[in-house]
Amino acid sequence: MRKKIVAGNWKMNTTLQEGVKLAEEVDNALKTVEPKCDVIVCVPFTHLASVNAVITNPQKLGLGAENCANHKSGAYTGEVSAPMVASTGAKYVILGHSERRQYYGETSETLREKVALALENGLTPIFCIGEVLEEREANKHFEVVKTQVSEGLFNLSADDFGKVILAYEPVWAIGTGKTATADQAEEIHAFIRSTIAEKYGNEVADNTSILYGGSCKPTNAAELFAKPDVDGGLIGGAALKCADFMGIVTAF
Ligand code: 13P
């Protein structure tokens, strides 16, 4: 059966010292609870090795990056490759976040390269999809996510696709305080799963974790996670405070 997962995406927040402290708090908090889900923190590149060093139980707290380069190595000043990320001890990498698509021009083509490199280096991609407000208002959200999933991932073998975690993040809900309702989330998660089933069959689709992201908080997480096709959350703002993040982790 597919995994339930709560993953934090710290984005471009916290200094190294603040980030290490936050990771220590989460690591500590997890010692006293038995979460019914996998817990992951995705942190800035600069923090990866130091955060990895303070994680006492990697079975309970996974570590990820927020991006990686679409090249293995070479003259790409300022970029960080998948092998570099893996060498810090990280096991996950967020790819195709809407902020990367929007502000850094990431396309399905570069994302396919990033996904391939992540998998080659033993990293689990957390692959983000989601529509902008105008697309939702024009009732194009189903078409948009179908295109993002198929262009970004359907070149993979069923075996490799099975290693990917999906995150549906409606862009209009990110950092806005406007959450998709649980019914809206369920409707599109079920659609994403059926799209996967059409390509790879029911077993692969049933085993794919699809997380919801966008203003997920301790107060709305339980309702979202109660939906059959919502397998957890990718958490931005609320992942920056240990108590809020743990409130979401324990919503399962
Ligand atoms: P917020 O939880 O801050 O809305 O961000 C969601 C997100 O983009 C996670 O990747």
mmCIF file of all heavy atoms in Angstrom, residues 9 11 97 99 169 173-175 213-216 234-237, ligand 1:
data_model
loop_
_atom_site.group_PDB
_atom_site.id
_atom_site.type_symbol
_atom_site.label_atom_id
_atom_site.label_comp_id
_atom_site.label_asym_id
_atom_site.label_seq_id
_atom_site.Cartn_x
_atom_site.Cartn_y
_atom_site.Cartn_z
ATOM 1 N N ASN A 9 8.589 21.847 3.326
ATOM 2 C CA ASN A 9 9.402 22.535 2.318
ATOM 3 C C ASN A 9 9.750 23.893 2.917
ATOM 4 O O ASN A 9 8.898 24.774 2.983
ATOM 5 C CB ASN A 9 8.597 22.690 1.019
ATOM 6 C CG ASN A 9 9.310 23.570 0.005
ATOM 7 O OD1 ASN A 9 10.495 23.904 0.173
ATOM 8 N ND2 ASN A 9 8.603 23.955 -1.048
ATOM 9 N N LYS A 11 11.607 26.149 1.813
ATOM 10 C CA LYS A 11 11.824 27.198 0.798
ATOM 11 C C LYS A 11 13.093 27.993 1.140
ATOM 12 O O LYS A 11 14.036 27.421 1.672
ATOM 13 C CB LYS A 11 10.581 28.080 0.669
ATOM 14 C CG LYS A 11 9.311 27.245 0.441
ATOM 15 C CD LYS A 11 8.129 28.041 -0.005
ATOM 16 C CE LYS A 11 6.940 27.116 -0.237
ATOM 17 N NZ LYS A 11 5.764 27.793 -0.746
ATOM 18 N N HIS A 97 8.611 22.390 -8.328
ATOM 19 C CA HIS A 97 7.749 23.246 -7.510
ATOM 20 C C HIS A 97 7.269 24.424 -8.351
ATOM 21 O O HIS A 97 8.015 24.926 -9.198
ATOM 22 C CB HIS A 97 8.513 23.732 -6.270
ATOM 23 C CG HIS A 97 7.595 24.353 -5.263
ATOM 24 N ND1 HIS A 97 7.141 25.640 -5.397
ATOM 25 C CD2 HIS A 97 7.024 23.851 -4.140
ATOM 26 C CE1 HIS A 97 6.320 25.903 -4.380
ATOM 27 N NE2 HIS A 97 6.233 24.839 -3.608
ATOM 28 N N GLU A 99 7.022 27.431 -7.757
ATOM 29 C CA GLU A 99 7.892 28.617 -7.682
ATOM 30 C C GLU A 99 9.093 28.473 -8.625
ATOM 31 O O GLU A 99 9.587 29.451 -9.178
ATOM 32 C CB GLU A 99 8.331 28.844 -6.228
ATOM 33 C CG GLU A 99 7.160 29.336 -5.376
ATOM 34 C CD GLU A 99 7.175 28.894 -3.928
ATOM 35 O OE1 GLU A 99 8.222 28.450 -3.428
ATOM 36 O OE2 GLU A 99 6.104 28.988 -3.292
ATOM 37 N N GLU A 169 -0.192 20.843 -5.781
ATOM 38 C CA GLU A 169 -0.203 22.121 -5.083
ATOM 39 C C GLU A 169 -0.857 23.177 -5.974
ATOM 40 O O GLU A 169 -0.208 23.712 -6.882
ATOM 41 C CB GLU A 169 1.225 22.570 -4.764
ATOM 42 C CG GLU A 169 1.998 21.588 -3.915
ATOM 43 C CD GLU A 169 3.159 22.270 -3.187
ATOM 44 O OE1 GLU A 169 4.009 22.885 -3.850
ATOM 45 O OE2 GLU A 169 3.177 22.201 -1.957
ATOM 46 N N ALA A 173 -3.331 28.435 -3.858
ATOM 47 C CA ALA A 173 -3.439 28.114 -2.419
ATOM 48 C C ALA A 173 -2.095 28.211 -1.706
ATOM 49 O O ALA A 173 -2.031 28.080 -0.485
ATOM 50 C CB ALA A 173 -4.011 26.704 -2.256
ATOM 51 N N ILE A 174 -1.018 28.451 -2.472
ATOM 52 C CA ILE A 174 0.316 28.437 -1.859
ATOM 53 C C ILE A 174 0.607 29.775 -1.193
ATOM 54 O O ILE A 174 0.636 30.813 -1.858
ATOM 55 C CB ILE A 174 1.408 28.114 -2.913
ATOM 56 C CG1 ILE A 174 1.209 26.695 -3.442
ATOM 57 C CG2 ILE A 174 2.796 28.280 -2.321
ATOM 58 C CD1 ILE A 174 2.197 26.283 -4.509
ATOM 59 N N GLY A 175 0.793 29.721 0.123
ATOM 60 C CA GLY A 175 1.170 30.915 0.869
ATOM 61 C C GLY A 175 0.093 31.991 0.910
ATOM 62 O O GLY A 175 0.350 33.125 1.297
ATOM 63 N N GLY A 213 -0.534 20.186 -1.171
ATOM 64 C CA GLY A 213 0.202 21.336 -0.642
ATOM 65 C C GLY A 213 -0.512 22.632 -0.956
ATOM 66 O O GLY A 213 -1.086 22.788 -2.043
ATOM 67 N N GLY A 214 -0.460 23.551 -0.019
ATOM 68 C CA GLY A 214 -1.084 24.861 -0.221
ATOM 69 C C GLY A 214 -1.859 25.260 1.017
ATOM 70 O O GLY A 214 -2.982 24.815 1.224
ATOM 71 N N SER A 215 -1.206 26.078 1.872
ATOM 72 C CA SER A 215 -1.838 26.572 3.107
ATOM 73 C C SER A 215 -2.380 25.445 3.986
ATOM 74 O O SER A 215 -3.446 25.579 4.598
ATOM 75 C CB SER A 215 -2.936 27.591 2.783
ATOM 76 O OG SER A 215 -2.373 28.720 2.126
ATOM 77 N N CYS A 216 -1.656 24.339 4.019
ATOM 78 C CA CYS A 216 -2.019 23.234 4.912
ATOM 79 C C CYS A 216 -1.541 23.601 6.322
ATOM 80 O O CYS A 216 -0.404 24.031 6.500
ATOM 81 C CB CYS A 216 -1.375 21.945 4.415
ATOM 82 S SG CYS A 216 -1.952 20.502 5.295
ATOM 83 N N LEU A 234 2.510 18.465 1.604
ATOM 84 C CA LEU A 234 3.785 19.164 1.413
ATOM 85 C C LEU A 234 3.565 20.557 2.004
ATOM 86 O O LEU A 234 2.713 21.309 1.527
ATOM 87 C CB LEU A 234 4.156 19.223 -0.073
ATOM 88 C CG LEU A 234 5.519 19.850 -0.415
ATOM 89 C CD1 LEU A 234 6.662 19.146 0.311
ATOM 90 C CD2 LEU A 234 5.771 19.796 -1.928
ATOM 91 N N ILE A 235 4.305 20.850 3.050
ATOM 92 C CA ILE A 235 3.969 21.962 3.930
ATOM 93 C C ILE A 235 5.005 23.073 3.807
ATOM 94 O O ILE A 235 6.195 22.836 4.033
ATOM 95 C CB ILE A 235 3.942 21.479 5.413
ATOM 96 C CG1 ILE A 235 3.248 20.104 5.556
ATOM 97 C CG2 ILE A 235 3.310 22.537 6.314
ATOM 98 C CD1 ILE A 235 1.824 20.054 5.097
ATOM 99 N N GLY A 236 4.561 24.274 3.505
ATOM 100 C CA GLY A 236 5.461 25.420 3.415
ATOM 101 C C GLY A 236 5.541 26.142 4.747
ATOM 102 O O GLY A 236 6.224 25.722 5.670
ATOM 103 N N GLY A 237 4.816 27.242 4.854
ATOM 104 C CA GLY A 237 4.882 28.116 6.033
ATOM 105 C C GLY A 237 4.788 27.383 7.362
ATOM 106 O O GLY A 237 5.569 27.658 8.287
HETATM 107 P P1 13P B 1 2.356 26.958 2.063
HETATM 108 O O1 13P B 1 2.088 25.788 2.985
HETATM 109 O O2 13P B 1 3.154 28.041 2.711
HETATM 110 O O3 13P B 1 1.099 27.443 1.414
HETATM 111 O O4 13P B 1 3.299 26.397 0.877
HETATM 112 C C1 13P B 1 2.957 25.219 0.258
HETATM 113 C C2 13P B 1 4.095 24.815 -0.605
HETATM 114 O O5 13P B 1 4.399 25.467 -1.596
HETATM 115 C C3 13P B 1 4.857 23.629 -0.223
HETATM 116 O O6 13P B 1 5.728 23.236 -1.231
#
